[in-house]
Amino acid sequence: MSLAIQPFSQREQERIEASTLEIGRFIFQRASERAPRPTERRWWDDRIMGWAMQDEALKLQMFRFVDVLPMLADSTAVTRHLHEYLDSERLPGAIKLGLNIAAPRSLAGRALALAARRNVQSYARRFIAGSNTTEVLAAAMRERKLRRAFTLDILGEAVTSDREAERYFNMYLELLDQLAPRANAWPEVPQIDRGAFEELPRLNLSVKLSALDSQFDPIDPEGTTRRVAERLRHLLRAARSRRAFIHVDMESYHIKDLTLAIFQHVLGEPEFRDFADVGIVIQGYLRDSGDDLVRLRDWAAQRGTPVWVRLVKGAYWDYETVHAAAMGWPVPVFQQKWETDANYERLTVFLMQNYKILRPALGSHNIRSLAHGLAVARHLGVPSSAFELQMLYGMGDQEKQALVDLGYRLRIYMPYGQLLPGMAYLVRRLLENTSNESFLKAGFSDHVSPEVLLMNPKEHDPGRQPAAKPLTPGPSPTRGEGGKKERPAFQNEPWTDFALGTSRRAMQTALAEVREQLGRHYPLVIGGRQVDTRDRLASLNPSHKNQVVGTVASASPADVEAAVAAARQALPAWSGASVDERATWLERAADALAERRFELAAWEVYECGKGWREADADVTEAIDFCRYYALHARQLQSPVEDVPGEDNQLEYLPRGVVGVIAPWNFPLAILTGMTTAALATGNTVVMKPAEQSPVIAAKLAEVFEAVGLPPGVLNLVSGTGEAAGAALVEHPDTAVIAFTGSRAVGLAINARAAEVSARPIGYVKRVIAEMGGKNAIIVDDDADLDEAVLGVVRSAFGYQGQKCSACSRAIVLATVYDTFLERLVESARSLKVGPAEDPATSVGPVIDAESLARVRQYIEIGRREGREVLAVDVGPLAGEGYYVGPHIFADVAPDSRLAQEEIFGPVLAVIRARDLDDAFRIANGTQYALTGGLFSRSPANLQRARRELLVGNLYLNRGITGAMVGRQPFGGFKLSGIGSKAGGADYLLQFVLPRVVTENTMRRGFAPMEPTTETEAAE
């Protein structure tokens, strides 16, 4: 959809540009006349900010200190963090001296801490209008005396629970109740209170829809819309009855479409169709903002009542760019500032041309952008009272008053709330103020000339200065010598973005199609032939335990014998194929998996109770394993030292037949990973999937058959562990056993395999085993609790806690223990328990009846060993499937069974630690060493965690699940695993036998010489 702008003629464009420059110069002139003087506090603030802007690294550290400050309880903590964050060698002399003499526990340190806290609080109030209604009303009155309107924004709207969402909803209602009557009684200021078509409400409230619902998620648009719409209706009714304005803010790109959809859904209802005192934000840095604006215009025209549109550049550029690159998704924002500026001007023209339907509110501190909007309005004859300009509280006061003096309505975006929840907002404002491309920085700190700042972005010449390098989802293909194109470096398969309607529809379609295929039978695959058995296993849907996903043949020891024999027979030809041939087969399999990704994810939903995102991630990981191991198999050959007269070669031989025994919790990814690692290195494979997920294994076998893998190279023997699994481990012709599962079974396999030498060449079996964990997340006393709560909840209850990497222990420092625990409990309580096929489900069923019984047993143990603070009742779901809700036990002893034994279910132990030393001791005090994490904003403590937390995968300031192939090679030590990390560069070495061949090339004192030039080589 293109932005339908009525084009201007060349002459009109020239007139608009001339008018833009005229207005811009006037604003610059008036602003310079009102610049702060040395006698004003703001002048000194600007000097400090100017110093901070000179060093990007130092600036970042300063603002990180500002961010953590509210969590620092005493002067010692404040001074310690100042020392940690600020590199004293880069500070001005006086400040450097002050830091050097201010030890954390000294009198000077306490004085420094007090000064730092007071200064930051004072600076925060430059950008935050007040911490209560009295203060914010006073700030609003000050603005009105300057002929400026306002809109209020409540700070700290990141909600982690239904209770917090309810609190913010009530805060919005209270603001309307308390402020609207007083605001409506204020004397009229015609310039800001009267519009071209109607009188404007005095009270204007900005609302973030995500603050109204803790489970705001585009994967479930119907459920999210239902919950949010009900609260939005209440707010609109309250606003209408109190003569107030509601403006819906915009946040991250991920929820942009859903925010727009809810806004249009509710405002299109008969009750609100004629309500004009509403608006919404459009972000100019988004590539699809033009399409959104066209759709909004068409909807508003059909609605019959105009709405306001606050047009902004956007405040999340770094996040959107980095997040998209990390996810492998298209970057949604323009990568160059001039592109955003040019798009902003295009959107401004569209709004002015449609001002009777979309009321323009231009939000910017860029004088060029605002001057252009005013010039366009003047050219089109748009009344000045038909639109407004908007700016942030505490920024650019000189330019604000210049615009007011020109007679335009100016509205100030006024954040209000306590300093603690407001710090993230404050830091974002500071970063905007000091970014290299900030208009304010360029105009008022770097003293760039007005003519440069007023340059038309459409005339931007990328050749004038080095362009910022766009962030891309991964490395691009490179070219070798002579221009020959080399293979691209490995790139992870992107996860599905379920914020997109096309993705949601594709998943729904796959679920419907797979549902029609439930109940089918799947035989064994041995030597390329399908082999059925008398005994069969039934795979049940854990969400609906009476639903049969499929039946499979159950292999006997004789069937395993036949499968191993077929694999041995196929081994010479397969191992004799070139590495490139084998890798190509794996890459074909990756492509086939990618083509069937939604179907395979749907099978996982039904067979293993995985939610949409978990199932999709498992399929993408399987794809990644195929491609990653194909790439690394090609790179496996390593050079060795040659000397004159001697030729040395290092080669890797396959070990032989590999028995793969896979788990049910990652039914496709782990099975594929272990299998493809063996195949890539020239081994043949006998796969034995978990009894709970045999149908998905059959689907993987179908994929390899479809790509033409030679018969016998890959064999499938579904069945029980006692029969098929034991026979595979004990067979003398299996050279490697690759296992993922419980500690007890893994140790038993290791012990049994050590007793059986592999035939025919008589070496000891190699065992690769990943055996689980008792993983901990430590929460430091300076942690960002918003992030820590969500990180623990997702790590503990994602896929019902049935990940070997799941968090089963939260170790929390005493000073934040009670606060963290309260928020943690409410966040977990807000999770929806339900069937896996429902996209709104956060916690689905555990895998089977045996697992359910085990989890219930540990819940009883927890009631004896700790204090039960959360026990979510699953209600009627208990009779439908294997459901157990999230359970949290507090005050758990570090040496208790609940804190030591792997549970594999949605049960979390919360442990109080005296200090960080105690926390590290507790975290390391188990027999496992798989994953672990720390939430902290202390650089020193993060470094300590790197040294002292003994785990295979350590995660800092993020959840501890979700390792990705190539990025976070996965695996642990102690009783968590035997072998190298899956998805890492050295994983393949476990499946091969290294061999060196040395030839003496001397013949009677003569040794052939290698050609040294291309000419010699040709000759």
Side-chain angles (χ1 to χ4, degrees):
M1 185 182 300
S2 60
L3 197 65
I5 298 175
Q6 184 176 350
F8 295 125
S9 67
Q10 182 64 34
R11 185 176 179 82
E12 288 176 311
Q13 292 179 42
E14 292 172 355
R15 287 177 181 171
I16 291 172
E17 185 62 23
S19 181
T20 298
L21 296 176
E22 176 190 349
I23 296 170
R25 291 181 185 121
F26 173 84
I27 296 172
F28 268 114
Q29 177 61 34
R30 295 298 294 270
S32 65
E33 294 171 359
R34 291 186 169 88
R37 300 175 182 179
T39 55
E40 300 177 58
R41 170 64 186 268
R42 187 158 299 191
W43 186 90
W44 291 98
D45 287 343
D46 290 344
R47 301 289 78 72
I48 295 173
M49 195 59 59
W51 160 69
M53 286 185 263
Q54 305 307 313
D55 188 323
E56 282 293 312
L58 182 59
K59 179 191 75 175
L60 180 62
Q61 293 299 84
M62 283 184 59
F63 292 155
R64 284 180 171 172
F65 170 76
V66 171
D67 182 48
V68 73
L69 180 61
M71 287 296 292
L72 305 181
D74 54 42
S75 61
T76 300
V78 173
T79 310
R80 176 170 61 83
H81 281 75
L82 275 170
H83 280 278
E84 290 179 20
Y85 274 110
L86 300 182
D87 179 359
S88 61
E89 295 305 316
R90 304 161 81 163
L91 298 173
I95 299 178
K96 185 193 324 183
L97 177 63
L99 265 181
N100 288 340
I101 65 174
R105 297 185 183 277
S106 68
L107 181 62
R110 289 195 294 272
L112 177 64
L114 180 62
R117 192 182 295 276
R118 285 180 174 174
N119 284 335
V120 171
Q121 288 175 337
S122 174
Y123 203 83
R125 291 311 176 199
R126 174 172 173 177
F127 302 97
I128 299 173
S131 58
N132 54 55
T133 55
T134 299
E135 291 178 356
V136 84
L137 277 172
M141 283 297 295
R142 288 194 297 271
E143 296 296 338
R144 287 180 64 82
K145 287 179 181 178
L146 296 170
R147 292 173 290 151
R148 304 173 185 171
F150 69 96
T151 181
L152 287 183
D153 168 52
I154 299 177
L155 293 170
E157 292 168 349
V159 298
T160 64
S161 67
D162 289 344
R163 176 181 289 183
E164 292 182 5
E166 180 76 18
R167 181 165 64 88
Y168 279 107
F169 169 63
N170 288 329
M171 287 174 66
Y172 287 132
L173 289 177
E174 289 170 6
L175 276 179
L176 291 170
D177 285 337
Q178 295 176 16
L179 299 188
R182 299 175 67 176
N184 291 336
W186 286 337
E188 182 183 89
V189 180
Q191 184 172 341
I192 57 178
D193 293 335
R194 290 200 172 275
F197 305 99
E198 67 277 305
E199 183 181 351
L200 301 175
R202 308 280 201 278
L203 179 62
N204 187 302
L205 186 61
S206 289
V207 175
K208 291 183 174 63
L209 297 188
S210 66
L212 303 179
D213 180 32
S214 69
Q215 307 302 310
F216 195 102
D217 193 340
I219 200 172
D220 176 33
E222 291 79 13
T224 302
T225 298
R226 183 177 61 254
R227 296 187 301 271
V228 174
E230 186 58 31
R231 284 180 167 166
L232 180 58
R233 292 186 191 103
H234 278 293
L235 291 178
L236 292 172
R237 291 180 188 121
R240 193 171 208 172
S241 66
R242 292 158 181 79
R243 191 73 179 96
F245 189 103
I246 297 294
H247 204 108
V248 173
D249 264 333
M250 197 63 70
E251 301 171 85
S252 68
Y253 184 72
H254 180 66
I255 62 173
K256 182 259 298 179
D257 287 346
L258 183 54
T259 299
L260 282 165
I262 294 172
F263 176 82
Q264 294 176 11
H265 172 77
V266 174
L267 270 301
E269 294 173 351
E271 180 181 358
F272 305 106
R273 187 183 293 272
D274 62 345
F275 189 31
D277 295 327
V278 289
I280 195 165
V281 170
I282 292 292
Q283 297 161 310
Y285 65 6
L286 295 178
R287 297 179 186 276
D288 56 6
S289 53
D291 295 342
D292 291 335
L293 207 50
V294 171
R295 284 189 287 265
L296 195 61
R297 189 272 314 272
D298 294 343
W299 166 81
Q302 184 180 21
R303 176 177 182 251
T305 305
V307 296
W308 285 83
V309 173
R310 178 190 296 152
L311 181 63
V312 301
K313 300 289 178 67
Y316 302 89
W317 186 91
D318 285 336
Y319 169 80
E320 300 292 6
T321 301
V322 173
H323 178 67
M327 298 297 292
W329 295 342
V331 178
V333 294
F334 292 107
Q335 291 293 279
Q336 302 293 332
K337 182 180 181 299
W338 70 267
E339 295 177 294
T340 296
D341 290 342
N343 189 54
Y344 189 92
E345 294 192 5
R346 287 191 294 270
L347 300 178
T348 297
V349 172
F350 182 83
L351 281 175
M352 291 300 179
Q353 290 179 340
N354 294 275
Y355 76 95
K356 294 183 179 179
I357 302 173
L358 300 179
R359 303 276 197 257
L362 306 184
S364 179
H365 282 260
N366 184 307
I367 293 178
R368 160 73 201 192
S369 299
L370 296 178
H372 172 264
L374 299 178
V376 171
R378 181 183 297 176
H379 175 77
L380 294 174
V382 179
S384 61
S385 57
F387 64 92
E388 66 184 38
L389 310 175
Q390 296 191 358
M391 291 184 174
L392 297 169
Y393 183 79
M395 293 172 60
D397 282 345
Q398 306 98 294
E399 61 185 84
K400 288 175 182 173
Q401 203 56 40
L403 291 164
V404 170
D405 291 345
L406 282 171
Y408 294 104
R409 180 168 62 254
L410 178 68
R411 189 173 303 279
I412 307 303
Y413 189 88
M414 294 193 349
Y416 121 94
Q418 296 298 322
L419 185 62
L420 176 60
M423 292 310 294
Y425 173 88
L426 172 61
V427 168
R428 192 159 65 247
R429 295 288 79 80
L430 293 175
L431 287 172
E432 287 176 357
N433 244 346
T434 60
S435 68
N436 281 335
E437 294 190 289
S438 164
F439 184 91
L440 288 174
K441 175 178 182 293
F444 298 111
S445 298
D446 292 347
H447 306 292
V448 178
S449 73
E451 296 306 315
V452 173
L453 293 172
L454 291 173
M455 185 181 74
N456 189 335
K458 298 173 185 176
E459 298 174 359
H460 178 87
D461 180 5
R464 293 183 185 177
Q465 55 184 353
K469 184 179 180 181
L471 268 167
T472 57
S476 301
T478 58
R479 293 188 178 274
E481 295 180 6
K484 182 180 179 181
K485 190 173 183 180
E486 299 174 350
R487 292 183 179 276
F490 172 75
Q491 296 182 38
N492 294 100
E493 180 75 8
W495 293 349
T496 296
D497 183 0
F498 286 109
L500 303 177
T502 52
S503 298
R504 295 193 299 273
R505 289 189 291 272
M507 189 66 187
Q508 292 283 18
T509 299
L511 286 167
E513 291 175 349
V514 168
R515 190 181 302 117
E516 296 300 315
Q517 302 174 48
L518 298 181
R520 294 182 181 179
H521 180 68
Y522 301 89
L524 311 178
V525 178
I526 298 175
R529 297 181 300 107
Q530 293 189 343
V531 177
D532 210 349
T533 63
R534 178 179 300 178
D535 293 334
R536 295 186 173 187
L537 296 176
S539 175
L540 304 179
N541 181 350
S543 296
H544 310 283
K545 59 187 178 183
N546 294 324
Q547 185 178 63
V548 177
V549 176
T551 60
V552 297
S554 183
S556 66
D559 296 317
V560 173
E561 173 74 35
V564 173
R568 277 193 61 197
Q569 185 176 356
L571 183 61
W574 181 249
S575 62
S578 70
V579 172
D580 195 62
E581 287 179 285
R582 295 196 298 266
T584 299
W585 258 302
L586 299 190
E587 289 164 343
R588 291 174 187 162
D591 293 341
L593 290 170
E595 290 175 5
R596 298 177 62 176
R597 66 182 297 169
F598 288 106
E599 175 210 343
L600 293 168
W603 280 110
E604 294 201 21
V605 169
Y606 289 123
E607 187 167 42
C608 296
K610 277 184 174 271
W612 287 23
R613 288 195 178 99
E614 297 278 2
D616 176 74
D618 195 56
V619 178
T620 61
E621 188 175 4
I623 296 167
D624 285 347
F625 276 130
C626 291
R627 292 175 177 157
Y628 186 82
Y629 291 146
L631 175 68
H632 280 270
R634 290 188 173 101
Q635 299 173 349
L636 195 58
Q637 301 302 326
S638 302
V640 290
E641 292 294 330
D642 277 331
V643 297
E646 185 176 277
D647 178 69
N648 297 304
Q649 292 182 341
L650 173 64
E651 59 186 10
Y652 294 96
L653 306 178
R655 287 180 175 269
V657 177
V658 176
V660 170
I661 302 177
W664 50 262
N665 61 335
F666 291 88
L668 189 66
I670 293 180
L671 178 63
T672 302
M674 295 189 294
T675 297
T676 54
L679 295 177
T681 47
N683 304 278
T684 53
V685 174
V686 178
M687 296 192 309
K688 192 276 172 191
E691 295 172 46
Q692 297 90 339
S693 57
V695 173
I696 293 168
K699 296 299 174 183
L700 179 62
E702 289 176 4
V703 167
F704 277 105
E705 180 184 8
V707 300
L709 197 68
V713 172
L714 178 63
N715 306 273
L716 172 64
V717 289
S718 51
T720 66
E722 294 80 2
L728 192 58
V729 170
E730 296 173 0
H731 199 291
D733 286 347
T734 53
V736 178
I737 299 297
F739 167 81
T740 299
S742 71
R743 182 181 72 175
V745 175
L747 293 177
I749 289 174
N750 190 55
R752 184 68 185 119
E755 300 172 2
V756 184
S757 295
R759 214 175 50 214
I761 52 178
Y763 51 82
V764 177
K765 289 180 189 289
R766 179 67 184 267
V767 174
I768 306 163
E770 194 274 283
M771 300 183 295
K774 190 64 182 175
N775 313 299
I777 292 178
I778 297 173
V779 180
D780 201 354
D781 57 10
D782 67 351
D784 183 323
L785 293 189
D786 286 348
E787 293 183 358
V789 166
L790 293 176
V792 171
V793 166
R794 290 165 182 164
S795 299
F797 304 117
Y799 191 40
Q800 298 75 264
Q802 298 178 122
K803 301 179 183 180
C804 50
S805 59
C807 172
S808 57
R809 297 180 296 156
I811 303 169
V812 187
L813 267 64
T815 50
V816 294
Y817 183 90
D818 293 334
T819 301
F820 174 83
L821 181 62
E822 180 182 4
R823 296 191 67 191
L824 174 76
V825 168
E826 292 305 319
S827 182
R829 194 193 308 277
S830 304
L831 301 175
K832 178 182 177 180
V833 180
E837 69 269 18
D838 182 353
T841 291
S842 299
V843 179
V846 294
I847 190 64
D848 58 17
E850 181 182 351
S851 177
L852 180 62
R854 184 182 66 253
V855 172
R856 286 175 173 169
Q857 179 184 1
Y858 275 102
I859 290 172
E860 291 304 317
I861 293 171
R863 287 169 178 160
R864 296 194 298 270
E865 294 185 340
R867 174 167 58 97
E868 187 176 62
V869 292
L870 179 68
V872 175
D873 183 15
V874 299
L877 288 171
E880 179 68 19
Y882 306 118
Y883 292 95
V884 57
H887 281 66
I888 299 177
F889 294 92
D891 308 333
V892 175
D895 57 353
S896 66
R897 290 185 64 186
L898 203 66
Q900 291 291 320
E901 298 177 10
E902 188 174 37
I903 300 172
F904 234 61
V907 179
L908 176 66
V910 184
I911 303 169
R912 188 191 302 264
R914 295 186 303 274
D915 51 30
L916 204 60
D917 292 337
D918 192 32
F920 285 164
R921 179 188 61 78
I922 295 169
N924 292 332
T926 74
Q927 295 179 325
Y928 296 95
L930 187 55
T931 68
L934 170 67
F935 280 91
S936 175
R937 286 182 284 191
S938 163
N941 290 347
L942 293 172
Q943 285 300 323
R944 280 194 64 190
R946 293 173 187 268
R947 297 190 304 268
E948 299 178 35
L949 277 180
L950 304 179
V951 292
N953 285 66
L954 174 62
Y955 299 97
L956 305 176
N957 289 318
R958 54 151 284 179
I960 63 173
T961 63
M964 297 185 70
V965 174
R967 295 191 197 180
Q968 298 102 18
F970 186 78
F973 44 93
K974 293 168 70 172
L975 292 186
S976 284
I978 306 168
S980 297
K981 288 179 172 293
D986 55 353
Y987 187 72
L988 295 183
L989 295 176
Q990 302 172 112
F991 294 87
V992 295
L993 296 167
R995 178 172 179 254
V996 171
V997 177
T998 298
E999 179 185 356
N1000 176 14
T1001 57
M1002 292 288 291
R1003 294 293 186 273
R1004 301 282 182 180
F1006 170 76
M1009 301 295 292
E1010 292 291 331
T1012 58
T1013 66
E1014 292 185 7
T1015 302
E1016 291 179 13
E1019 292 174 352

